[in-house]
Amino acid sequence: LEPGEDDDPVVQEIDVYLAKSLVDKLYLFQYPVRPSSMSYDDATHLSAKIKPKQQKVELEVALDTMSPNYCRSKGEQIALNVDGTSFEDSSTYSIKMMDKQTFSSIQATTNTSRYAAAIFRKGELHLTPLQGILQMRPSFSYLDKADNKHREREAANEAGDSSQDEAEDDVKQITVRFSRPESEQARQRRVQSYEFLQKKQAEEPWVLLHYHGLKDSRSEHERQYLYCQSMAGSDNTELVKTPGEYLSMLMPPVSEEKAVMPMGPSNVLSMAQLRTLPLGDQVKTLMKNVKVMPFANLMGLLASGTDCTAVLRCIQQVAMLVQGNWVVKSDVLYPKNSCSPHSGVPSEVLCRGRDLVVSADFRCPASLTTFLLCWQRSDVKDFLEQMSASRINRGWEFLLPSDTDFIKKHPDVVQRQNMLWLGIQSKLEKVFNFKKEDFAAKKEPQPAGFEPGLLPPRLKAARENAASLRKEPGARLPSQQRGGAGVQVKQEPLSDSEEPMDTCSALTNGSLNGYDSPGLSDGHNGQSAAGPSHDLQDFVSATFRKHFVLTLSEVKRLFNLHLASLPPGHRLFSSISDRLLQDTILLSNCKQIFVPTVTTADEQKVFALWDSGETFDKYRQVVYEVFMKNYRVRRTVVQTRLGQELGANVTKADVDRVLKECCVSCGGMWYLKGTAQS
């Protein structure tokens, strides 16, 4: 610029020098918990030590125990907790009083290349690069020592209470274990773990230091190294740059940084990483992780604006259509040259077995019966758990309901998938020597590996009798025809919300050959005509005496858990309908509580123990009546109502007990169990 056009004239020029004497030894200490007006410059520093690689420093600073702000009783108590009553050389505090404080450092920043300590003298600015910036904070490690000392005293007391007799050395069995080879991924996780880092940090030894005060002669001598020792220009080439080099240092060129993918578990799918993949890989990765998915859900997981036709084209390469939903192909789950982690079965055999399960059962709405008895049980369980759920007394059922919307919207895709399934079935017919009829939906599915002619005569006759009863509701068993000719079983029609239990399908609970025990059963609940069994009544009574208030869905859940704990072949495994379960509840001194705003669906019906024979029943009955008018109340409402109905004898403990037994608290309000809205 011309001299007359310079709007920002140079006021002063200062020479800048780079001092290198302390380039690897200079640290900046910060004390963030103390103001600058209350520095530690005049405090007595007892010791100092450093771990150079970690840049970790510890300082011990003496406390003024004679200060009026120092509490001597607290100091003595802390010293007693840390060191105990004995005097040892390793004691933390030497005068039985907390007379010192330890400061430990943490790194304020890991990159100090942009920071330097500057000192100005006679128009010259001297810069020394910083090795580290450390924040010194009080350390409370003495509290850990006090806890350890307390544990040692407790252990010593327990050892003193035990027998003091000398015991002979017992021969102990030693188990030798060999560690398996560590994979590269496992090694990386171990190296990045917090425990490993702590161990590595503890391995570095401390280096003891000597502390010199601010006005000490040694400090004055060391401070001279902050000035550049050689003032010649040839020794400061770092600061002598051409205008072009200086400009490139101020504005360095933009360099493309390689994106480092964060390490994560192999079974965790990151949506951010997923969106960077091609569309085909996105669909394949999603289906491989989810296994079963409706098409609408798949479109929701992909980026907005993704072409539906392109997604349909991609998903048909990695999945097959089952009841309008997409199930990942077997060869995607079990790639070539792989094998089962459970049994070592090759991938080709696994693919055929999985396709057999899907083709034979899931493509028709019938419940699945496990007929692959010749397979490894763990492999079959993997097949089933990927795409189905176990239902009590009904076997395995497909996870998702049939997606009729997709079937109506994409008939061409459905037709193409049906052709593919026919091709798969033709291959399976040749491999397993099946017929086409084996893949069709059956009204009464037969257990796998069983033929009626192979059953024992007694079970065969019982099964034929049960089948005749199902076909002819008015038919009688031979025993009825002989001894009870005048007895007829009343057939009650089923409600719209109920469906008959499948009493001939294979049970997953291990009952005998998958068949119920022979005997008289009615047409809709599988129980004897006289009413619920004693085992079922005992279970319902015990359950309500424990929980007091339950919804029907919760009773069914507890009943399923109870069935799982019973031995195989127990008589309680016979099919039980919702109606029978409700009737049993009402016969067990329970009543249905009609809570406002609660839906009338069977699953949400609320039942409560009304009469248990205890004097406390009247408290519960008052609470039930309160909730028949309001679905949620405050504690004061319950307490007031109890006082009105039962007099002034109601105590706080009584209110606490009845609320704990019958209600749950949410947001300051009390709800009857099972009615709190999530």
Side-chain angles (χ1 to χ4, degrees):
L1 295 176
E2 296 295 334
E5 298 178 2
D6 192 357
D7 296 332
D8 190 11
V10 176
V11 178
Q12 183 181 4
E13 291 186 359
I14 300 174
D15 294 332
V16 181
Y17 296 93
L18 183 64
K20 302 179 183 179
S21 301
L22 301 177
V23 70
D24 296 329
K25 305 174 184 177
L26 188 62
Y27 291 86
L28 174 64
F29 285 8
Q30 298 175 341
Y31 295 86
V33 298
R34 290 282 288 266
S36 58
S37 59
M38 299 175 62
S39 66
Y40 291 97
D41 295 340
D42 298 331
T44 303
H45 289 69
L46 303 177
S47 65
K49 53 186 179 181
I50 185 175
K51 288 186 176 182
K53 293 182 180 179
Q54 303 175 33
Q55 295 189 7
K56 187 173 183 179
V57 178
E58 281 192 3
L59 300 176
E60 286 189 354
V61 180
L63 294 177
D64 185 10
T65 58
M66 305 305 295
S67 170
N69 300 322
Y70 183 85
C71 180
R72 296 182 64 87
S73 61
K74 289 291 185 182
E76 293 173 354
Q77 183 63 44
I78 292 175
L80 180 63
N81 294 340
V82 174
D83 297 329
T85 56
S86 60
F87 179 78
E88 299 176 359
D89 295 338
S90 60
S91 298
T92 305
Y93 305 111
S94 57
I95 60 173
K96 298 301 177 185
M97 186 182 297
M98 184 178 177
D99 57 347
K100 61 183 178 181
Q101 186 178 18
T102 302
F103 288 89
S104 182
S105 69
I106 60 172
Q107 285 183 285
T109 179
T110 56
N111 183 14
T112 58
S113 59
R114 300 174 55 192
Y115 298 93
I119 187 169
F120 188 76
R121 183 184 65 173
K122 297 179 181 180
E124 299 172 349
L125 184 65
H126 297 261
L127 302 178
T128 303
L130 290 175
Q131 177 69 9
I133 302 176
L134 307 179
Q135 291 185 349
M136 307 300 296
R137 299 174 183 270
S139 173
F140 301 97
S141 57
Y142 59 88
L143 297 178
D144 298 332
K145 294 181 180 179
D147 291 341
N148 295 335
K149 186 71 68 174
H150 179 68
R151 294 192 190 98
E152 291 175 1
R153 284 196 294 265
E154 287 186 346
N157 293 336
E158 292 178 0
D161 295 339
S162 61
S163 175
Q164 300 295 325
D165 298 337
E166 269 188 37
E168 297 181 358
D169 293 338
D170 296 332
V171 179
K172 295 183 178 179
Q173 181 180 1
I174 299 177
T175 303
V176 180
R177 293 176 179 163
F178 299 93
S179 59
R180 67 179 63 181
E182 187 179 29
S183 64
E184 181 63 22
Q185 189 176 11
R187 190 190 69 81
Q188 291 181 0
R189 287 199 300 266
R190 180 177 59 82
V191 170
Q192 294 177 359
S193 65
Y194 177 76
E195 182 181 0
F196 181 82
L197 295 177
Q198 288 290 97
K199 183 179 179 181
K200 293 294 291 184
Q201 291 178 0
E203 289 177 356
E204 183 181 0
W206 287 102
V207 178
L208 298 180
L209 304 174
H210 295 283
Y211 180 84
H212 298 274
L214 181 64
K215 298 179 181 179
D216 190 90
S217 59
R218 180 61 186 269
S219 299
E220 293 287 348
H221 175 74
E222 293 291 334
R223 198 174 294 120
Q224 297 301 317
Y225 289 112
L226 294 175
Y227 300 104
C228 182
Q229 303 300 315
S230 177
M231 309 294 288
S234 59
D235 295 335
N236 283 276
T237 56
E238 290 86 351
L239 301 181
V240 179
K241 302 293 181 183
T242 63
E245 293 174 340
Y246 182 68
L247 184 61
S248 63
M249 291 176 64
L250 289 178
M251 300 180 63
V254 179
S255 59
E256 295 184 0
E257 297 183 358
K258 294 183 179 180
V260 180
M261 303 299 286
M263 291 291 296
S266 58
N267 61 337
V268 175
L269 183 65
S270 170
M271 296 303 295
Q273 297 178 21
L274 181 71
R275 299 263 171 97
T276 62
L277 301 176
L279 180 60
D281 293 339
Q282 293 185 42
V283 174
K284 181 178 180 180
T285 305
L286 284 171
M287 291 305 304
K288 195 172 181 179
N289 279 269
V290 183
K291 309 293 191 304
V292 182
M293 192 188 312
F295 187 75
N297 290 12
L298 177 62
M299 292 298 298
L301 291 174
L302 299 175
S304 59
T306 306
D307 185 19
C308 176
T309 306
V311 177
L312 275 175
R313 190 181 305 113
C314 294
I315 196 173
Q316 293 182 68
Q317 300 175 7
V318 296
M320 299 291 287
L321 193 66
V322 177
Q323 299 184 27
N325 300 284
W326 291 97
V327 177
V328 64
K329 288 184 177 180
S330 300
D331 55 0
V332 175
L333 281 182
Y334 306 109
K336 193 175 181 181
N337 298 328
S338 63
C339 59
S340 167
H342 306 290
S343 59
V345 175
S347 59
E348 294 81 1
V349 182
L350 289 174
C351 292
R352 288 198 296 266
R354 185 173 180 271
D355 290 341
L356 177 63
V357 172
V358 181
S359 301
D361 291 271
F362 288 146
R363 296 192 66 241
C364 61
S367 61
L368 178 63
T369 54
T370 310
F371 53 87
L372 300 174
L373 298 178
C374 58
W375 282 67
Q376 182 69 248
R377 183 176 181 180
S378 53
D379 289 333
V380 178
K381 186 178 180 182
D382 276 353
F383 296 159
L384 298 175
E385 289 181 343
Q386 289 169 7
M387 46 193 167
S388 61
S390 177
R391 308 299 185 195
I392 189 66
N393 289 336
R394 299 177 67 177
W396 293 83
E397 292 184 349
F398 194 56
L399 273 178
L400 303 175
S402 181
D403 191 352
T404 55
D405 293 337
F406 181 86
I407 295 174
K408 295 177 181 178
K409 190 175 180 180
H410 303 279
D412 54 335
V413 177
V414 175
Q415 183 179 4
R416 191 181 306 117
Q417 289 294 311
N418 285 335
M419 297 298 294
L420 291 175
W421 275 118
L422 290 176
I424 293 176
Q425 289 177 3
S426 62
K427 293 181 181 178
L428 295 176
E429 290 171 14
K430 298 176 182 179
V431 174
F432 293 100
N433 196 21
F434 284 159
K435 300 178 181 179
K436 292 184 178 180
E437 291 78 9
D438 297 330
F439 293 97
K442 302 175 184 178
K443 296 181 180 179
E444 295 180 5
Q446 302 292 333
F450 265 70
E451 298 179 9
L454 300 180
L455 290 174
R458 181 175 59 83
L459 291 181
K460 182 178 179 181
R463 196 173 192 288
E464 291 175 353
N465 292 335
S468 64
L469 282 178
R470 284 194 297 272
K471 295 178 181 178
E472 301 178 10
R476 303 173 184 170
L477 288 174
S479 59
Q480 290 177 292
Q481 295 174 356
R482 289 192 299 268
V487 179
Q488 294 184 355
V489 179
K490 181 181 179 181
Q491 301 295 329
E492 296 185 4
L494 297 177
S495 63
D496 295 337
S497 60
E498 293 186 3
E499 60 180 14
M501 290 293 183
D502 187 3
T503 58
C504 65
S505 60
L507 299 180
T508 59
N509 50 34
S511 59
L512 180 60
N513 297 334
Y515 296 101
D516 297 332
S517 300
L520 178 62
S521 60
D522 67 21
H524 67 273
N525 56 26
Q527 294 297 320
S528 62
S533 63
H534 293 293
D535 291 337
L536 181 59
Q537 288 182 336
D538 293 342
F539 164 77
V540 171
S541 299
T543 301
F544 274 90
R545 285 183 178 274
K546 180 179 179 181
H547 298 281
F548 298 101
V549 179
L550 292 169
T551 60
L552 182 60
S553 61
E554 183 66 11
V555 175
K556 292 168 65 176
R557 187 186 71 84
L558 295 174
F559 181 65
N560 291 340
L561 293 176
H562 179 62
L563 286 181
S565 65
L566 295 178
H570 195 277
R571 60 183 177 180
L572 195 56
F573 280 128
S574 57
S575 303
I576 296 174
S577 65
D578 289 357
R579 175 184 292 182
L580 177 63
L581 195 56
Q582 294 182 53
D583 293 343
T584 308
I585 293 173
L586 296 177
L587 290 174
S588 303
N589 297 325
C590 299
K591 286 188 177 182
Q592 182 179 353
I593 308 300
F594 297 94
V595 182
T597 75
V598 175
T599 60
T600 57
D602 286 350
E603 296 287 335
Q604 300 300 323
K605 288 182 179 179
V606 182
F607 296 92
L609 181 61
W610 192 267
D611 185 9
S612 64
E614 300 177 358
T615 57
F616 205 73
D617 287 340
K618 54 187 179 181
Y619 289 82
R620 302 190 194 98
Q621 293 170 6
V622 172
V623 173
Y624 299 154
E625 293 174 354
V626 170
F627 281 101
M628 288 182 184
K629 300 178 180 178
N630 301 283
Y631 76 99
R632 63 176 183 178
V633 296
R634 295 194 178 274
R635 177 191 173 93
T636 54
V637 175
V638 177
Q639 190 169 359
T640 303
R641 185 64 181 274
L642 287 172
Q644 294 173 353
E645 297 291 336
L646 305 177
N649 299 336
V650 180
T651 63
K652 180 179 179 297
D654 294 334
V655 179
D656 292 340
R657 177 184 171 184
V658 72
L659 288 176
K660 182 179 180 181
E661 290 178 350
C662 306
C663 309
V664 292
S665 177
C666 182
M669 305 295 288
W670 288 90
Y671 300 80
L672 210 58
K673 287 182 179 179
T675 63
Q677 299 177 0
S678 59

